[in-house]
Amino acid sequence: MLTFEHDYKTLPAPLWAACQPTPVDTPALIAFNRALAGTLGATDIPDDATLAQWFSGNTLPPGADPVALGYAGHQFGNFVPQLGDGRALLLGEVMDAHGQRRDIQLKGSGRTPFSRGGDGRSPLGPVLREYLVSEFMAAIGVPTTRALAAVASGEQIRRQLPEPGAVFTRVASSHVRVGTFQFAAAGGNEETLKALADYVIQRHYPEAAQAEDPYLALLDAVVARQAALIARWMSLGFIHGVMNTDNTSVAGETIDYGPCAFMEQFDPRKVFSSIDQGGRYAFENQPATAQWNLARFAETLLPLMNAEGDELIAQATDAIRRFSDVFAIEQCRLHADKLGLAAQSEQAHDLMQGLEIQMHQGGMDMTATFDALTQYAASPTNERYAALLALTAHPEELATWLKAWHVVAVAGRENERLDAMRRANPIIIPRNHRVQEAITAAYDGDFAPFNTLLEVVTHPYDDSTQARRLAAPATSSEQVLRTFCGT
Ligand code: AMP
Ligand code: MG
């Protein structure tokens, strides 16, 4: 069905280990992403029973040759020299419709040489969460890994309580993480490190190969992609939850959706993950965290770079500092889009800061606020004005902000800017309580809420009664305050 290649296996062996999946009891297909499969060149898609066999790892799709990848990582600031795919297997790569090499990976397919104490399995809940959220991200154009398949294993796995197991099939530009470079660097073999860096340049940043110092160019390019990515997250209220260096893709995609969640009421200090007790990965800390992770990446590249001594350190430091510049430019562009301002508007920053204060102090739901503002920009009726004011506990202050905004907003007059505003402000995000509702129903064997939510969040600009119902913020009794990574 897919034409597998095995380019990663040309890298030195410590970076991967051959490993077979462990079969599951009674695999049953939950979801298969036919549209994505099409872009991966899939032909002759078999029946659901065969897909369930293949994407649980019970029998492998023709041409697959699974390997577990080695990586290290800073987890909540502590360096762990060996993590690796403890419950995931790379089946191989396929070339997509754009000629880009994409990894196909099973997650939850059993123990590997990197499993340490773990069972190599994944509970159903995190599989459904990753499916929903990653496909939403793809639908709004945020760089992300994709969901190809979800298969129920028919087995119970042991967590705090027994839970149904599942296997997730993920598609990524690659699974090379900052932690992969840390793993190669910690191994102490410079040839392995150089092979990895050259591989990443060739696969993701071919233009860097032409630079005077390809490894400095690689650092620059990865910094730029991460900065653009985090700016997108911030513009949507996305909180990743586990921004460890092993969960930071050098290709600049959102990866590892564990305890992620979207913020509802705007709060810069917001944290959902049960394991992030110090708030290290709180919403407002995400840009600085990404920059910190990139500094760890830079450290691994130092031995490969041309310069030496103080000059080397100065170059790497400058590259890391450029994160802030790229981030600021991206953020300014996104703010102008979200607020319906002229493209390069100098007011974007101040107006957004003002609105963030309103959202925070007035307890406003972030997605609902930007949706209502977009509606109002498109057609400034009294009704829509009232709908905006109804979102805040301090309507008079919001009215003052709206006056200032009204003077500079152009989306009401310029169709192209209104389109940009609409694209920046989806009607729906995968709200925590809706994701949880879909998971709870699935645990009772009912996948209808999952399928409905998936349909709606993958069309995040389509207005319908169904979309409006699922887009509504949680009431205080519906709110889900904590998320779990399910490892
Ligand atoms: P994560 O929290 O999913 O990013 O995983 C962090 C590390 O723990 C990675 O090396 C995973 O492969 C490993 N891991 C997580 N869950 C399991 C599991 N159930 N069995 C084996 N390894 C696991
Ligand atoms: Mg991870």
Side-chain angles (χ1 to χ4, degrees):
M1 176 183 84
L2 293 163
T3 308
F4 284 105
E5 298 182 7
H6 303 283
D7 205 32
Y8 204 78
K9 289 180 73 177
T10 62
L11 285 169
L15 295 175
W16 56 271
C19 178
Q20 292 297 312
T22 308
V24 301
D25 231 16
T26 42
L29 191 70
I30 298 167
F32 183 74
N33 192 337
R34 283 172 191 274
L36 178 61
T39 70
L40 299 173
T43 50
D44 303 328
I45 294 174
D47 61 14
D48 285 7
T50 307
L51 289 172
Q53 290 290 330
W54 286 356
F55 295 108
S56 61
N58 271 23
T59 61
L60 288 174
D65 189 5
V67 292
L69 308 189
Y71 54 85
H74 274 91
Q75 298 188 306
F76 291 90
N78 304 308
F79 185 61
V80 184
Q82 183 172 317
L83 290 166
D85 286 338
R87 54 168 167 170
L89 289 171
L90 177 65
L91 296 182
E93 309 116 23
V94 300
M95 301 308 276
D96 73 11
H98 307 287
Q100 297 289 320
R101 184 175 294 276
R102 310 280 294 277
D103 280 8
I104 314 285
Q105 189 205 55
L106 299 181
K107 192 170 173 183
S109 49
R111 290 178 52 79
T112 78
F114 300 105
S115 292
R116 296 172 291 157
D119 63 0
R121 294 303 188 192
S122 185
L124 175 60
V127 166
L128 298 182
R129 176 182 296 270
E130 177 155 354
Y131 205 117
L132 290 165
V133 183
S134 66
E135 286 304 300
F136 164 76
M137 293 294 241
I140 53 170
V142 177
T144 179
T145 60
R146 300 288 307 268
L148 182 63
V151 179
S153 68
E155 294 174 0
Q156 294 284 310
I157 60 175
R158 250 181 279 164
R159 292 295 181 265
Q160 271 166 330
L161 295 170
E163 292 194 48
V167 182
F168 182 71
T169 305
R170 174 159 80 182
V171 178
S173 284
S174 83
H175 283 87
V176 182
R177 307 140 188 274
V178 166
T180 314
F181 278 82
Q182 292 180 293
F183 182 68
N189 183 335
E190 202 171 304
E191 269 173 46
T192 302
L193 179 68
K194 184 172 180 307
L196 176 65
D198 290 340
Y199 179 83
V200 168
I201 289 174
Q202 173 234 316
R203 184 161 171 180
H204 297 302
Y205 304 100
E207 61 290 348
Q210 315 306 323
E212 204 176 299
D213 184 341
Y215 307 107
L216 177 59
L218 170 63
L219 175 59
D220 270 327
V222 174
V223 166
R225 273 200 211 170
Q226 278 290 327
L229 176 68
I230 309 301
R232 290 298 306 272
W233 289 3
M234 301 302 283
S235 79
L236 293 160
F238 178 75
I239 304 174
H240 181 282
V242 238
M243 288 181 72
N244 295 334
T245 56
D246 53 299
N247 294 335
T248 303
S249 154
V250 298
E253 289 181 334
T254 312
I255 190 169
D256 279 10
Y257 282 85
C260 71
F262 289 87
M263 183 156 82
E264 300 206 294
Q265 293 190 354
F266 186 84
D267 175 5
R269 305 270 333 128
K270 189 71 192 167
V271 175
F272 286 100
S273 170
S274 60
I275 54 170
D276 190 5
Q277 282 165 359
R280 181 181 172 93
Y281 301 141
F283 179 70
E284 68 177 359
N285 292 351
Q286 295 188 119
T289 301
Q291 202 171 17
W292 190 89
N293 291 346
L294 289 162
R296 305 290 77 76
F297 179 54
E299 284 164 3
T300 70
L301 293 176
L302 294 178
L304 302 178
M305 285 165 54
N306 289 341
E308 286 177 3
D310 290 349
E311 172 64 14
L312 175 63
I313 301 303
Q315 279 184 358
T317 310
D318 282 351
I320 300 303
R321 287 213 181 103
R322 279 195 288 277
F323 179 95
S324 310
D325 304 336
V326 180
F327 182 79
I329 291 167
E330 288 296 319
Q331 195 170 49
C332 182
R333 190 176 62 74
L334 290 164
H335 285 174
D337 286 355
K338 285 187 84 69
L339 294 171
L341 310 182
Q344 307 283 328
S345 174
E346 282 173 8
Q347 273 98 336
H349 177 78
D350 289 353
L351 273 172
M352 186 56 87
Q353 232 174 18
L355 183 56
E356 286 181 356
I357 292 169
Q358 291 305 316
M359 288 192 294
H360 191 198
Q361 295 181 351
M364 299 174 78
D365 180 276
M366 186 175 174
T367 308
T369 298
F370 286 104
D371 174 41
L373 192 66
T374 309
Q375 305 276 345
Y376 182 59
S379 161
T381 62
N382 289 340
E383 207 182 342
R384 289 182 174 190
Y385 183 74
L388 260 168
L389 295 194
L391 293 172
T392 176
H394 304 298
E396 279 171 26
E397 290 170 29
L398 183 63
T400 307
W401 181 88
L402 278 166
K403 257 190 212 132
W405 168 79
H406 206 86
V407 177
V408 277
V410 299
R413 300 188 298 277
E414 296 177 18
N415 279 339
E416 182 263 326
R417 295 308 295 156
L418 184 59
D419 285 346
M421 189 178 189
R422 287 199 167 114
R423 278 196 305 277
N425 298 323
I427 290 172
I428 191 166
I429 50 163
R431 289 187 185 273
N432 237 343
H433 67 298
R434 293 302 183 193
V435 172
Q436 196 51 55
E437 179 181 68
I439 292 171
T440 304
Y443 276 32
D444 290 333
D446 176 10
F447 288 90
F450 166 78
N451 286 319
T452 306
L453 187 58
L454 179 63
E455 176 65 21
V456 171
V457 298
T458 51
H459 299 87
Y461 306 108
D462 291 2
D463 214 335
S464 68
T465 319
Q466 182 79 288
R468 287 287 163 198
R469 181 179 73 79
L470 294 171
T475 60
S476 53
S477 67
E478 288 172 332
Q479 258 176 15
V480 176
L481 302 173
R482 281 271 158 272
T483 55
F484 302 89
C485 55
T487 50

